[in-house]
Amino acid sequence: MHLIPDPAAAPADTIGFDQFLAVDIRVGTIVEALPFPEARKPAYKLLIDFGPLLGRKRSSAQITEHYALEQLVGMQVAAVVNFPPRQIGPVMSEVLTLGFPDAEGKVVLVQPGTAVPDGGRLF
């Protein structure tokens, strides 16, 4: 699942802490990365392992500008794991893999600076 917001947009409205807690952001390790030629915009199909509690989830990510398929396997990434699944072409994306735009608007993945256990929740 991948949606790109406008990086030049004004800051979002203030939310309460309970609203923040409602967004479940977890860390997982990419265990499979495949081409996604059917995508409208260049993207990869990812299988991410979020540990024993959540298991493995699928995602589609528009990250082809900065990442080659072979470098993705083994990489830890952050993802929203409690959005409903979303059909992206022939792929059912179960999580939203998170990233920030670079200066040209291309996605740079959110990653922990040090290896952490898969399934850990952002706080």
Side-chain angles (χ1 to χ4, degrees), residues 47-61:
L47 181 62
I48 306 169
D49 186 354
F50 292 97
L53 184 63
L54 295 172
R56 294 178 170 194
K57 304 286 184 183
R58 299 208 171 276
S59 184
S60 119

Side-chain angles (χ1 to χ4, degrees), residues 32-118:
E32 183 178 79
L34 300 171
F36 190 6
E38 306 89 352
R40 285 184 292 154
K41 295 182 181 179
Y44 295 139
K45 296 183 278 189
L46 305 176
L47 181 62
I48 306 169
D49 186 354
F50 292 97
L53 184 63
L54 295 172
R56 294 178 170 194
K57 304 286 184 183
R58 299 208 171 276
S59 184
S60 119
Q62 296 172 5
I63 56 174
T64 59
E65 293 289 329
H66 287 296
Y67 305 95
L69 285 172
E70 57 274 4
Q71 78 182 109
L72 290 168
V73 174
M75 183 182 290
Q76 284 195 303
V77 294
V80 176
V81 299
N82 66 331
F83 284 153
R86 181 176 170 169
Q87 191 74 43
I88 309 289
V91 173
M92 183 60 72
S93 187
E94 300 172 289
V95 299
L96 174 63
T97 305
L98 298 174
F100 289 106
D102 68 7
E104 286 79 43
K106 308 301 182 194
V107 179
V108 176
L109 291 169
V110 174
Q111 301 176 266
T114 301
V116 296
D118 287 334

Side-chain angles (χ1 to χ4, degrees), residues 11-25:
D13 293 337
T14 300
I15 63 170
F17 190 67
D18 288 344
Q19 289 173 291
F20 168 74
L21 290 177
V23 180
D24 193 353
I25 300 172

